[in-house]
Amino acid sequence: MGEGINGDGRLAAAPYDHWVLLSPAGGSPRPSARYKHAAEVIQDKLYVVGGSRNGRSLSDVQVFDFRTFTWLALNPTRDSNRLNHETNATGGSFPALAGHSLVKWKNNPVVVAGNTRSTSSSNKVSVWLIDVETNSWSAVDTYGKVPTARGGQSVSLFGCRLLMFGGEDNKRRLLNDLHILDLETMMWEEVKTAKGGPAPRYDHSAAVYADQYLLIFGGSSHSTCFNDLYLLDLQTMEWSQPDTQGAHIAPRSGHAGTMIDENWYIVGGGDNASGSTDTIVMDASKFVWSVVTSVSARDPLACEGLTLCSTTVDGDKFLISFGGYNGKYSNEIFVLKLKARNLVQPRLLQSPAAAAAAASVTAAYAVITATDEKTRDIVATDDFDIKKARPASSSKKFVAEIDAVNGEKDKLESRLAEVRDENSKLKDKLDLANLSYSELAKELESVQNQLAAEGSRCQKLESQIAAARKRLESAGSLENELEVLRRQMSQVGQTMATTQRQKSGGVWNWVAGSAEASDDE
């Protein structure tokens, strides 16, 4: 990880493309460690709202000032001029939340959705506004088709509208619905999209690119994590799965991302077995993945439930990460100073049809900038020269070359479709195997529990049998003693009877002898 930056240092001293720890100024209290919080940089300050720790949701609002390198607990008060049922339900303090989202709107944090233990009976998504000027908060009344309450969703700012996708509702049902909230009117709208979109998921990441496209990456269901990428054209409301180039990206959930110009940076996450150690970036104009830097497996950044923001200091752009959980809760701030990236064309085109027509040109630029070795091998094998994608002096020659490239593209797409079909079949088999394994595991656990209960019962019976045997042995000895006593009693009885007879005869003889003596006199 390298050395950190202390409160007396400057962000400008940080190395490029390398995470460093940012330590607060001496004496500045740190907030509680947490994950599944929300955060955003507003006017040189990092606002951290809520989160979860040891199964308990937090209700605090913490602020880190990049000018003074100090933490401050905001403690906003309830805005008495904007009361509704949500406000009354939570009293004067900000509600305890986890798995929520936060966006910056007119230099104020807007908090959306999340898991809350509010006593309100509403099962709809809630929206809260924090006014940083007055240090107050309020629950905002929204209208229209208000979505079902949820956590683990993604919320992206698109002009004056919020795009909310997916998540997990209070009954643990996974969602893949899309809702739009107009922040000017506070009106919700459910959007029906065309074609197949992402599978239901939560703890994914999302970003808006070129004010026209919504990108969805990764996340998880209840059994698996994803590394798929989906694109929604916000004009036609059609989903597509663009082909990506560059580095192979492992499945992950609970990661965080932020879009800077054409580059979508993503950090953290995990796959239910280990944390993701790579900080990755996708050039959204070419769909090329690359790795910015990596950390160790036990690093605080290789975690789930962290947040990622960006800010500009003295002309340099920085990634700002806070919190997370990797077996231990974190309350550290890490910063990464970004190198300038190549922003050359081609950009995404304005329609899927036009994008498909020029896909070969995009691929040519993509493979040249990709860092993945497989991509380099493909380029070397096919001997694809990027100059062929540029216009020649003759339009006919250019059209012929484009046709040849398109023909090659069609072949590759056909092969790719076959591979995807095979992958789909294998995935179905794997899902079935996982289901069977899960059922067998449950059955095995039940049998093991029964065997444990029977074993305990057998031990109790053996103890009872051993005690009974001891009692039987004691009973046999008592019977022998009783028989001896009976014999002794019998002998004593006989002796007493004989003695009584003898005593009885002697008395009568004495009486008779006395009588005779009297007569003789």
Side-chain angles (χ1 to χ4, degrees), residues 3 109 213 349:
E3 296 182 359
Y213 302 97
L349 302 179

Side-chain angles (χ1 to χ4, degrees), residues 77-300:
T77 59
R78 181 179 63 184
D79 187 349
S80 59
N81 296 323
R82 304 185 66 174
L83 297 179
N84 65 6
H85 65 282
E86 291 287 348
T87 310
N88 294 332
T90 56
S93 61
F94 194 80
L97 291 171
H100 49 292
S101 302
L102 186 154
V103 297
K104 177 177 66 175
W105 170 245
K106 295 182 178 179
N107 283 330
N108 286 315
V110 176
V111 182
V112 183
N115 301 313
T116 176
R117 295 182 180 179
S118 169
T119 56
S120 169
S121 59
S122 173
N123 191 35
K124 301 297 183 180
V125 163
S126 298
V127 179
W128 297 271
L129 173 67
I130 300 175
D131 191 323
V132 298
E133 295 296 331
T134 63
N135 192 23
S136 62
W137 70 274
S138 60
V140 181
D141 285 320
T142 58
Y143 310 94
K145 194 169 183 180
V146 182
T148 302
R150 66 194 65 198
Q153 69 292 319
S154 63
V155 174
S156 307
L157 185 63
F158 174 52
C160 65
R161 293 176 290 175
L162 296 182
L163 306 177
M164 185 176 72
F165 175 81
E168 181 185 44
D169 69 11
N170 295 335
K171 297 181 180 179
R172 296 204 67 205
R173 290 179 299 193
L174 296 178
L175 307 169
N176 64 344
D177 50 351
L178 178 66
H179 298 265
I180 295 180
L181 174 65
D182 189 322
L183 293 174
E184 299 287 359
T185 63
M186 289 299 166
M187 184 71 68
W188 281 104
E189 175 189 0
E190 182 176 7
V191 180
K192 299 298 183 182
T193 58
K195 296 185 179 180
R201 65 190 63 200
Y202 70 113
D203 286 353
H204 52 281
S205 59
V208 172
Y209 169 64
D211 291 330
Q212 184 178 339
Y213 302 97
L214 176 66
L215 301 170
I216 302 291
F217 169 72
S220 68
S221 65
H222 291 149
S223 60
T224 187
C225 293
F226 306 112
N227 64 345
D228 49 5
L229 175 69
Y230 283 85
L231 180 145
L232 176 67
D233 189 320
L234 296 174
Q235 292 184 355
T236 64
M237 288 300 169
E238 291 185 356
W239 286 105
S240 62
Q241 263 191 292
D243 295 329
T244 60
Q245 303 285 341
H248 172 74
I249 305 303
R252 66 193 65 199
S253 174
H255 50 284
T258 186
M259 181 72 78
I260 302 177
D261 298 323
E262 298 181 343
N263 297 304
W264 191 15
Y265 293 90
I266 292 174
V267 65
D271 60 359
N272 298 324
S274 60
S276 300
T277 58
D278 293 336
T279 299
I280 57 178
V281 59
M282 187 186 75
D283 185 335
S285 69
K286 311 179 193 68
F287 302 121
V288 176
W289 286 109
S290 57
V291 176
V292 178
T293 187
S294 297
V295 297
S296 64
R298 299 304 302 169
D299 192 277

Side-chain angles (χ1 to χ4, degrees), residues 22 32 44 111:
L22 194 156
S32 299
D44 297 328
V111 182

Side-chain angles (χ1 to χ4, degrees), residues 383-396:
D383 196 24
F384 195 99
D385 190 347
I386 192 167
K387 293 180 180 179
K388 293 181 180 180
R390 299 175 180 173
S393 59
S394 170
S395 60
K396 291 183 180 180

